[in-house]
Amino acid sequence: MADQDLIIRLDNRLDQLVNIDMGERGVEHLYKAARALQGGSLVGAAADALMAVPEGGTVILTTGSVSRAWITPDLGENDGPSGAAAIARALVMARNATCVMLCEDTLLDAIRNTCQAAGLFPVTLEQAAIAREDKSLATIVMLPYATDDEGGKAQALQMLDEIKPDLLFSTERVGRNEHGVYHSMRGIDYGMGRARVDFLFDEALERGIPVVAVGDGGNEIGMGKVASHVKDFVPYGDQCQCGCGGGIGAVTGCDVLVTAACSNWGCTAIAAAMAARTGNAKLLHTPDREALLLDTMVANGLINSTHGVVDDSVDGFPRDSHLGVAELCRTIVSRAL
Ligand SMILES: [Zn+2]
């Protein structure tokens, strides 16, 4: 097992790599703010939180952004699903965790297929309990979440009571602003058909259940933690274009925030930090698996939201940049494996 000083150095390198602001979104400011608040590597803190999930514990994850909500609720974006799938896989491998993935009913098939390509077979909660007992199958439980405010609040109470998660994880999942509006990075209201999962995260924080969140823009669950910095440094952070009177920043906070230039990169780095902590290379999100997931997301109609087209660029970054980030994360932690 690697010594603690080495782990800290590797964590900091992973942080630096995924926070190079290649998309010019102002993420470097959010990164500095989050580091100052959390007092160390963001990626490292997330990996510590995930590794602290009890063996055989339960984690609720969410991702999925209805990308062109004003046209159709059936279209999701390709930043989010592959990262969430990589984290769920690492949690199953490292903690024998039961992972429950929440998204809109309309995006369920695409995200399920992405998780399956990451090695997780979709099952019911009851079936997942059997698999956890005998460790015979790597699973994922996919559940739809309500797309109206009242339904979202009601489901939050019911789900936390019934599933009793040990941790909640969100990546690239838009949360409402102080006026209850869900904004795109261009400051437009695109809340129609969108799951109100942020209410679940608010309730979890209220109950003291650990929450880890990844985001790249300021409008995602978790960014409430650096709200003033979103207002100051992110386009439309102060004033949206929809006329609601607020900015795009999400009000929902988190315990551990991970910023990244692309949310999927944040997840790739967290998986690498988990691998470093355990010395287990199987936890890595490898370039080969990233390639498979990119292809799967294209086959399932998930969109490169920056260019408005279904292809294997994510957030406008070309395919090779995602394989490259996965390779560099692996290289950074290789001394601990
Ligand atoms: Zn607005």
Side-chain angles (χ1 to χ4, degrees), residues 12-13 72 98 136 183 199 231 336:
N12 285 328
R13 287 169 197 152
T72 170
T98 297
S136 57
H183 292 92
F199 289 113
K231 275 194 196 310

Side-chain angles (χ1 to χ4, degrees), residues 239-323:
Q239 189 71 53
C240 70
Q241 298 202 72
C242 91
C244 70
I248 67 168
V251 290
T252 301
C254 60
D255 296 300
V256 177
L257 177 64
V258 174
T259 61
C262 174
S263 292
N264 281 347
W265 299 355
C267 295
T268 300
I270 293 168
M274 292 170 74
R277 278 158 173 71
T278 55
N280 183 359
K282 286 183 182 157
L283 306 189
L284 285 170
H285 184 54
T286 62
D288 283 352
R289 191 169 307 110
E290 175 65 7
L292 178 59
L293 297 197
L294 287 170
D295 291 340
T296 302
M297 292 193 292
V298 169
N300 282 275
L302 294 173
I303 194 177
N304 159 19
S305 61
T306 303
H307 297 151
V309 62
V310 176
D311 68 18
D312 57 359
S313 294
V314 178
D315 278 353
F317 300 121
R319 178 187 185 92
D320 283 351
S321 63
H322 306 284
L323 308 192

Side-chain angles (χ1 to χ4, degrees), residues 24-26 177-178 181 183-189 217-219 227-250:
E24 288 274 325
R25 290 182 171 187
N177 77 349
E178 66 269 37
V181 180
H183 292 92
S184 74
M185 286 300 294
R186 290 187 294 129
I188 292 164
D189 172 6
N219 57 343
S228 68
H229 301 269
V230 173
K231 275 194 196 310
D232 290 345
F233 294 111
V234 172
Y236 307 111
D238 194 30
Q239 189 71 53
C240 70
Q241 298 202 72
C242 91
C244 70
I248 67 168

Side-chain angles (χ1 to χ4, degrees), residues 92-162:
V92 170
M93 302 279 164
R95 307 306 302 148
N96 188 29
T98 297
C99 289
V100 180
M101 184 79 72
L102 309 178
C103 64
E104 292 79 0
D105 191 41
T106 54
L107 301 184
L108 215 54
D109 285 351
I111 295 174
R112 176 196 293 120
N113 291 340
T114 307
C115 289
Q116 185 167 287
L120 307 176
F121 191 77
V123 296
T124 65
L125 269 172
E126 295 72 23
Q127 292 166 336
I130 301 170
R132 179 181 56 210
E133 278 309 306
D134 65 8
K135 301 185 183 178
S136 57
L137 181 65
T139 66
I140 187 84
V141 178
M142 301 292 310
L143 294 177
Y145 204 86
T147 55
D148 64 288
D149 290 353
E150 288 316 307
K153 289 173 192 170
Q155 198 172 351
L157 304 177
Q158 176 211 342
M159 215 166 231
L160 293 182
D161 288 345
E162 285 176 12

